[in-house]
Amino acid sequence: MGSTSIMIRVRPPDFDTWLAVHHANKELRREYGISDGPLYRDANDPDVALVHWNVEDVDRALQWFSSDAFKAALVRAGMPERELWIAEKWG
């Protein structure tokens, strides 16, 4: 079994505001076993990002999304649209 990642496609109402909130929560995410991987900005739509996180334990990492810190961050970021994928690296 390879490493596990969470990838999230994000469409925030204001990209710069969302990005600042995203970076501000890096240390809080670490408490859930999440470490930041690459962050991609869509080449065809600069208002869309793909966030790649490496996670130690998927169940623990998913608890981040029900935390008060995450809920507060969502509000500060303008309630962006999100799609989430859980993936395992092969090879």
Side-chain angles (χ1 to χ4, degrees), residues 20-37:
V21 172
H22 173 76
H23 288 312
N25 283 279
K26 181 177 183 174
E27 294 302 318
L28 291 173
R29 289 190 298 272
R30 284 188 183 172
E31 295 175 19
Y32 293 86
I34 299 169
S35 59
D36 288 356

Side-chain angles (χ1 to χ4, degrees), residues 6-87:
I6 292 177
M7 290 178 266
I8 308 165
R9 182 183 185 273
V10 182
R11 178 183 291 278
D14 179 279
F15 189 88
D16 293 331
T17 299
W18 168 81
L19 186 60
V21 172
H22 173 76
H23 288 312
N25 283 279
K26 181 177 183 174
E27 294 302 318
L28 291 173
R29 289 190 298 272
R30 284 188 183 172
E31 295 175 19
Y32 293 86
I34 299 169
S35 59
D36 288 356
L39 176 66
Y40 304 95
R41 199 163 186 179
D42 190 311
N44 295 319
D45 186 347
D47 292 329
V48 174
L50 180 65
V51 177
H52 181 164
W53 290 336
N54 300 305
V55 299
E56 297 169 6
D57 177 275
V58 173
D59 291 333
R60 182 172 163 220
L62 290 176
Q63 291 174 4
W64 162 248
F65 297 102
S66 59
S67 72
D68 290 339
F70 175 75
K71 292 173 187 174
L74 270 183
V75 171
R76 288 192 313 277
M79 302 299 287
E81 296 175 27
R82 305 177 320 280
E83 295 176 45
L84 182 139
W85 296 275
I86 298 171

